[in-house]
Amino acid sequence: MTDADLAANYAKAYDNRIGFGKKPALVLVDFVEAYFEPTSPLYAGVDAALASALRIRAAAREKGLPVILTGVVLHPSGLDGGRFFQKAKPLACFTAGNPLGAWPAGLEPFPDEFVITKQYPSAFFGTSLASMLTCMGVDNVILTGLTTSGCVRATCVDAMSYGFITTVVRDACGDRHSAPHEANLFDMNAKYADVVSEADILAFIEGL
């Protein structure tokens, strides 16, 4: 099946867009040093995704939108990471105190931003994120982050499952290989979220 055939096949069943909500929040998933440090086992060369996310964050802050950063922090034993830690050995980068779990330059949280610490792929699993967003009256989760095929996708599926309009910003997500990046953007856009460009999301935020 060619790419054109695949797109046509999906369009028969999955060709719907929800659009944006009335009260969005921006979530930046796992932008941490492990993905930017060349000696790290998780290095992914995703500087462009971070640069895009920082521009979106600046626009969101200017409009007073809630901004939430997530990161993984694990006990030195890794036991709080359960089977995820057992399976994905590079998660050792995220044990408490490891510098690879730190924020990269330019992404240090502002005092009015929220930080969600997680142990599993989704920013919702085992955290207070859903309750916090609901309390704020948020109806639209704007997702950026790393990696597209892992924690972004898991967070996307849970955001939709919790009833939030979910928007994934293509330019502000990254993966270590284009194939899983593109495949997961395709799948999220088909079933769980609207995948949009940085230009699209900046225009939406500007219009709020």
Side-chain angles (χ1 to χ4, degrees):
M1 184 180 290
T2 67
D3 288 345
D5 291 336
L6 179 64
N9 180 279
Y10 264 69
K12 294 175 186 176
Y14 299 112
D15 193 24
N16 184 46
R17 293 187 77 78
I18 294 180
F20 301 111
K22 295 180 179 178
K23 188 166 183 183
L26 174 64
V27 178
L28 299 101
V29 177
D30 297 1
F31 280 111
V32 294
E33 279 292 344
Y35 297 105
F36 300 96
E37 168 53 51
T39 62
S40 165
L42 287 172
Y43 176 70
V46 286
D47 297 82
L50 174 60
S52 176
L54 289 175
R55 290 189 290 269
I56 296 165
R57 179 206 204 184
R61 289 186 55 78
E62 188 173 335
K63 289 290 183 174
L65 303 185
V67 176
I68 300 100
L69 289 74
T70 81
V72 176
V73 179
L74 296 164
H75 186 272
S77 69
L79 290 176
D80 51 347
R83 304 303 181 196
F84 187 35
F85 187 84
Q86 277 188 310
K87 176 65 178 178
K89 292 301 184 183
L91 287 176
C93 294
F94 300 135
T95 52
N98 192 318
L100 292 176
W103 308 112
L107 194 65
E108 297 84 357
F110 287 95
D112 60 347
E113 295 178 339
F114 300 91
V115 175
I116 293 289
T117 299
K118 62 191 184 74
Q119 287 78 41
Y120 289 88
S122 171
F124 289 93
F125 184 82
T127 77
S128 62
L129 181 56
S131 298
M132 182 175 70
L133 293 175
T134 299
C135 186
M136 292 176 176
V138 167
D139 65 349
N140 183 184
V141 173
I142 300 169
L143 285 180
T144 67
L146 309 172
T147 59
T148 315
S149 60
C151 295
V152 173
R153 183 195 172 103
T155 301
C156 170
V157 173
D158 277 358
M160 179 275 299
S161 300
Y162 275 109
F164 297 104
I165 295 169
T166 307
T167 308
V168 177
V169 186
R170 167 184 292 275
D171 311 85
C173 295
D175 216 302
R176 62 182 37 78
H177 193 283
S178 62
H181 174 72
E182 293 297 335
N184 281 275
L185 288 173
F186 182 93
D187 201 45
M188 286 188 285
N189 187 63
K191 302 169 186 173
Y192 312 119
D194 288 350
V195 175
V196 304
S197 68
E198 178 187 334
D200 288 335
I201 203 66
L202 290 177
F204 165 62
I205 293 172
E206 180 61 29
L208 290 171

